Amino acid sequence: MTRHLCLAAVAVATALPSSAALAYGAGDWFTHFGVAKVSPKDDNGRFDALDIDVDVQDKSDFAFTLGYRFHDNFGVELLAAAPFKHDINLNGSEGASIKHLPPTLTLQYYPLGGTDAWVQPYVGAGLNYTHFSDEKIDVPGASLDLDDSWGAAGQLGVDLLIDDHWSLNAAAWYLDIDSDATAKVGGQSYDTTLHIDPWVVMAGLGYRF
């Protein structure tokens, strides 16, 4: 009986990852990947001279990150993705669209970094750059142009460790995105500032190299 219990204990110990291997910390490279939803704030701006309200719609797509832990409790992470295409409502009806690419770099703090905790929460703050492209407006002879944007970014996230490489991940970013927009209609230019300011929420997997 004792021999069987010992063999069972050895089998369980062998199956479980070691706490040292699970201790995420200094020197780790990692990536997160999954589906991200970009949800701009409501009422993003208004072309007063045209009497047009602008409302940028939500969009979900694939996204990923790449990060490095230079200290047990601190790291950096870059959010990246293919360009997100957003429909835009003009006075409540779909009338335009844009694509944007929002690479975001954050400095992160891991309060449980360097320990064998299976739950690894983190917070981050940093900088966002947003590049706009393929702006379209459904008005004959009209055009829409959005300037690129720089702004602050905040982040919350958590890794739920599966083994020494894989984890479940959930993260959210708040991005300060303000863009100077120009609409050209009938040879006249009309300017405004669009306050997009989205929440980006991503769920997926993480992998530590």
Side-chain angles (χ1 to χ4, degrees):
M1 181 68 175
T2 302
R3 179 172 177 272
H4 290 163
L5 288 175
C6 290
L7 289 174
V10 170
V12 171
T14 303
L16 290 174
S18 69
S19 60
L22 284 171
Y24 278 26
D28 287 341
W29 287 91
F30 62 91
T31 183
H32 295 130
F33 52 93
V35 176
K37 182 177 182 179
V38 180
S39 299
K41 69 183 289 290
D42 295 332
D43 303 323
N44 306 113
R46 176 178 173 82
F47 288 100
D48 290 325
L50 296 172
D51 193 27
I52 292 177
D53 292 318
V54 180
D55 192 12
V56 183
Q57 302 300 294
D58 296 355
K59 178 64 175 179
S60 297
D61 213 329
F62 174 78
F64 66 95
T65 74
L66 180 64
Y68 178 70
R69 300 278 289 277
F70 58 84
H71 183 278
D72 281 347
N73 298 107
F74 293 95
V76 291
E77 186 176 32
L78 176 67
L79 170 65
F84 281 73
K85 181 180 179 180
H86 291 263
D87 294 326
I88 298 177
N89 286 351
L90 303 176
N91 286 344
S93 299
E94 184 179 326
S97 66
I98 57 171
K99 288 184 179 180
H100 85 281
L101 187 64
T104 301
L105 184 66
T106 52
L107 173 66
Q108 300 169 314
Y109 171 65
Y110 295 80
L112 302 180
T115 74
D116 60 356
W118 288 72
V119 179
Q120 290 281 346
Y122 55 90
V123 296
L127 186 66
N128 164 260
Y129 169 72
T130 300
H131 172 66
F132 294 95
S133 63
D134 292 345
E135 302 98 322
K136 297 178 182 178
I137 186 169
D138 299 334
V139 177
S143 65
L144 178 66
D145 181 73
L146 273 67
D147 289 348
D148 293 350
S149 166
W150 290 90
Q155 180 188 25
L156 293 171
V158 63
D159 279 316
L160 304 178
L161 309 187
I162 299 172
D163 59 23
D164 58 347
H165 289 293
W166 291 96
S167 63
L168 298 175
N169 175 259
W173 294 258
Y174 176 77
L175 308 181
D176 178 21
I177 301 178
D178 297 330
S179 175
D180 294 330
T182 300
K184 293 183 178 180
V185 182
Q188 298 292 318
S189 294
Y190 304 90
D191 298 323
T192 192
T193 298
L194 298 184
H195 303 280
I196 300 174
D197 301 340
W199 280 96
V200 179
V201 179
M202 186 173 82
L205 294 173
Y207 184 81
R208 179 176 63 155
F209 299 97

